[in-house]
Amino acid sequence: MQISDLPYPDPGVPDARSGPRFLLWLGRGQLGGQAKSLCWGLVHFGGIAGLPYAVGSGVGAVVERDGAGLLRAGALLLLIGVAISVGDAMLHRTAVTNWITAAARVQQLLARKTAELGSALTRRVAAGEVVAVSTGDVEKIGWFVEAVSRFLAAACAIVAICVGLLFLAPSIGVVVAVGVPVLALSVLPLLPHATRRADVQRDKAGKATELASDTVAGLRVLRGIGGEELFLGRYRDASQQVREAAVRSAGMWALIAAIQVLLPGVLLVTVVWYGASLVQEGRLEVGGLVAAFSAVATMLYPLRNVEEIAMAYSFSRPSAQRAARVLSLTRTGPGRADAGPEGGGPDPVGDLHDPATGLVAPAGRLTAVVCGDPDAAGRLAERLGGHPAAAGDDAGEASDGLPVLLGGVALDGLPLDTARRLVLVQDKDPVLLSGTLRELFDVPSSGKVEPAAALAAAHCGDVLDALLQAAPAGVDDPMDARITERGRSLSGGQRQRLALARSLAADPEVLVLDEPTSAVDSHTEARIAEGIAALRAGRTTVVLASSPLLLDRADHVVLVDGGTVAATGTHRELLRREPRYRAVVTRETEEEQRVARLGPARLGKELTGIEESA
């Protein structure tokens, strides 16, 4: 895989059982790239390993006044220089390719998981953690994958240098062969402490990121209630904790780096002192001493890769653990396969049925659902979209593992693309991405509903005028006007209507709308109710709302109370005979409901009796 080939046609199915297993799975998926990097690393570090021998041969040739030997040493140095240069350039190229392709694979996996889970993801994993995994953690995981091949090549060079010294100068070779493992293993006792400090720093940084993202998302509300300074103080405290944790972590890594400099220096001094004594005794030639000195000095360079691989693993392991935790989340419940209907027949059609609540939305009709609890309505909308709640939370316990059925087929058992084509859920807080209005409506659809018709049904005429007025000179078509990030330049009602129009233009078999008109005035809401009813005629539509204007346009109204269907009928029928429905829709108090039940005459008699008894 080359960078030009990205993104991956299929990033694969990761082993998300643990962080180390996930790293191993990434490594196995890049064996070809790792092999290339290792080969070029062997060329590069092999040249470094042969450099001391060439230098020693040249010094020996000068001492012995051997011109031919000096030429051979010069030619060998030239060849080694070319090998080092070319190997270094290609090693860097292949290693960075491994880094980027590994990071891209992880990002694709995270993007696929985010698209699979939808809004259920942020209910099961903190938004700040998702941001941290998709940014900083991806980079650290790629760093470790990239460092593995360079470490293996460096280890081969270290072994080659030690073996060469054993043949060139056995006495010095023994000293170096004993000293190098001590150097490599000297920092191992400190690594667990450094890793723990790094974990603390990352945890605090993730909490600070989550706090910052929550604050930015609610900045408009914070300004409205004067809470900016409060949250600013909290973020300031969190950032100071991150700074202190980073200083503690850096201090430990600085100690490790100091040991990596001190001990090789001690080894180098020892080799020079011992080699000089051997030269004085006549047991070692000057060229051999120079070669031994050069070997130990050049060995310090590949030894840095030992420290780097330790740092890369300590940083990437918790990052991989967090990525694996996100990637291990599943859309379907335990024991359910993400497969299509038996026999691979046509897409299921028919009534939408939720066995957990008893809700039935007849095919081809507009069904309104009234819930007294807005959170329960949001969870029901997610269930109707084929996203069962995670086991252990309230919604998950309420559903008791029962899947939603479309035409008698379990919706969460369909292939994901099929389920999305059939059922579309618009939650109460839809998101508008930046771009032109034309790009906003560039979504998978049946092609039967034009954007103009959807915009008219959602009563977006004033929104189009506002976008056109804010557009730069030369833009005459509102479809070419740009929308800012999340539609921040529009009001809440305008954003809500554009999102509704986008959902209507998609024209799915089943459309679930959660409070689609909560941010608009009553006049606009009445027009939108008429537009939805007209445009979705003959299509299955479920609207979770408590607005009488929407409920009166529905063919079928369902009251859900306590997690089950409590009553069904038309809006006017339920107003007459169902007090719980009336309490939710008309916001009547208990006293007002009692007055309505008793009637004025009977209520007057009760009041007269109370006065006489007093």
Side-chain angles (χ1 to χ4, degrees):
M1 172 63 69
Q2 298 296 319
I3 297 177
S4 58
D5 299 328
L6 295 175
Y8 284 92
D10 180 12
V13 179
D15 186 348
R17 289 176 290 177
S18 66
R21 288 178 182 271
F22 180 60
L23 290 174
L24 181 61
W25 177 83
L26 278 177
R28 288 202 306 266
Q30 291 188 266
L31 290 178
Q34 294 287 353
K36 290 180 182 178
S37 184
L38 177 60
C39 290
W40 287 113
L42 290 175
V43 172
H44 173 63
F45 287 106
I48 292 176
L51 190 61
Y53 173 77
V55 172
S57 300
V59 173
V62 171
V63 172
E64 298 175 0
R65 299 181 180 277
D66 183 2
L70 185 60
L71 287 175
R72 287 193 298 271
L76 182 58
L77 281 173
L78 179 61
L79 179 62
I80 288 175
V82 172
I84 292 175
S85 300
V86 175
D88 187 27
M90 296 305 298
L91 171 61
H92 179 75
R93 178 185 178 89
T94 54
V96 171
T97 299
N98 289 337
W99 185 339
I100 294 176
T101 51
R105 185 190 293 269
V106 178
Q107 285 182 326
Q108 280 188 250
L109 291 170
L110 291 171
R112 186 175 67 182
K113 182 60 63 174
T114 301
E116 174 187 339
L117 296 177
S119 61
L121 174 63
T122 52
R123 292 203 302 268
R124 301 166 70 177
V125 181
E129 182 170 351
V130 176
V131 173
V133 170
S134 59
T135 53
D137 286 339
V138 167
E139 181 179 352
K140 294 180 178 65
I141 292 171
W143 177 26
F144 175 74
V145 173
E146 174 263 342
V148 169
S149 56
R150 287 192 291 109
F151 164 72
L152 294 176
C156 293
I158 292 173
V159 171
I161 291 174
C162 291
V163 172
L165 280 177
L166 286 174
F167 284 98
L168 180 65
S171 300
I172 297 179
V174 171
V175 174
V176 174
V178 173
V180 167
V182 174
L183 295 180
L185 301 177
S186 60
V187 297
L188 289 183
L190 298 177
L191 287 180
H193 301 284
T195 302
R196 282 195 295 269
R197 293 189 181 186
D199 290 344
V200 171
Q201 176 196 353
R202 280 187 291 273
D203 290 340
K204 291 185 179 295
K207 292 178 181 178
T209 302
E210 181 179 352
L211 179 60
S213 62
D214 291 343
T215 303
V216 170
L219 190 57
R220 181 175 298 181
V221 177
L222 292 176
R223 286 175 176 171
I225 63 176
E228 294 174 89
E229 291 300 324
L230 174 63
F231 279 84
L232 179 61
R234 291 183 181 177
Y235 182 73
R236 185 181 292 113
D237 293 340
S239 63
Q240 288 301 314
Q241 292 179 11
V242 174
R243 182 188 62 81
E244 293 173 359
V247 170
R248 285 175 53 82
S249 178
M252 182 58 68
W253 287 111
L255 177 60
I256 292 175
I259 293 175
Q260 291 282 349
V261 173
L262 176 63
L263 293 184
V266 172
L267 177 62
L268 186 60
V269 171
T270 301
V271 167
V272 172
W273 174 80
Y274 183 56
S277 63
L278 292 179
V279 171
Q280 289 181 342
E281 296 174 3
R283 297 166 55 190
L284 182 66
E285 297 180 353
V286 175
L289 176 60
V290 173
F293 172 80
S294 301
V296 176
T298 54
M299 193 186 299
L300 302 183
Y301 172 63
L303 272 174
R304 295 176 187 172
N305 290 272
V306 177
E307 176 191 358
E308 182 186 8
I309 195 66
M311 291 181 64
Y313 180 74
S314 65
F315 276 95
S316 64
R317 182 187 55 80
S319 296
Q321 185 64 45
R322 282 195 291 268
R325 184 163 58 247
V326 174
L327 295 174
S328 64
L329 301 176
T330 57
R331 169 177 173 263
T332 56
R336 300 191 191 112
D338 194 18
E342 293 183 7
D347 294 340
V349 293
D351 297 345
L352 184 66
H353 178 212
D354 178 20
T357 60
L359 170 67
V360 177
R365 301 181 66 187
L366 174 58
T367 301
V369 181
V370 176
C371 294
D373 181 5
D375 293 334
R379 292 193 294 268
L380 177 58
E382 288 293 329
R383 279 183 49 73
L384 294 177
H387 292 280
D393 61 19
D394 295 340
E397 294 172 1
S399 67
D400 197 26
L402 299 174
V404 173
L405 305 177
L406 177 61
V409 178
L411 189 59
D412 63 357
L414 295 172
L416 189 56
D417 57 347
T418 302
R420 283 184 173 156
R421 186 176 66 253
L422 294 174
V423 182
L424 173 64
V425 177
Q426 177 181 302
D427 61 24
K428 63 186 65 177
D429 296 312
V431 175
L432 302 180
L433 300 179
S434 60
T436 64
L437 191 59
R438 195 181 308 279
E439 292 170 342
L440 178 70
F441 281 85
D442 186 16
V443 295
S445 66
S446 66
K448 299 178 181 179
V449 178
E450 295 294 329
L455 288 165
H459 198 58
C460 294
D462 62 318
V463 183
L464 299 180
D465 293 338
L467 288 174
L468 198 56
Q469 289 176 3
V475 177
D476 300 326
D477 188 349
M479 296 298 292
D480 295 325
R482 294 195 64 82
I483 300 174
T484 57
E485 181 186 2
R486 292 181 174 268
R488 298 187 189 280
S489 60
L490 304 174
S491 67
Q494 290 174 328
R495 289 195 299 269
Q496 193 173 58
R497 282 179 283 160
L498 281 180
L500 174 60
R502 178 180 57 186
S503 299
L504 293 174
D507 190 38
E509 183 68 30
V510 178
L511 176 60
V512 181
L513 303 172
D514 186 7
E515 293 288 355
T517 58
S518 60
V520 301
D521 59 78
S522 57
H523 173 71
T524 305
E525 187 175 33
R527 299 284 299 273
I528 292 174
E530 294 176 0
I532 294 176
L535 194 64
R536 293 288 300 173
R539 308 287 269 172
T540 306
T541 308
V542 180
V543 180
L544 292 97
S546 58
S547 168
L549 295 171
L550 280 173
L551 298 174
D552 196 38
R553 298 293 305 183
D555 302 317
H556 180 62
V557 180
V558 179
L559 172 65
V560 176
D561 185 39
T564 58
V565 172
T568 60
T570 65
H571 170 60
R572 299 177 188 272
E573 291 173 351
L574 292 176
L575 278 179
R576 286 195 304 267
R577 63 180 170 84
E578 183 52 60
R580 289 174 294 181
Y581 180 82
R582 223 172 19 248
V584 175
V585 174
T586 65
R587 310 295 195 271
E588 286 184 351
T589 63
E590 293 183 1
E591 183 62 24
E592 291 172 335
Q593 293 181 40
R594 192 173 73 87
V595 170
R597 287 196 306 270
L598 293 177
R602 186 174 175 185
L603 180 62
K605 291 180 180 180
E606 283 197 2
L607 293 176
T608 302
I610 293 173
E611 291 175 355
E612 291 176 354
S613 63

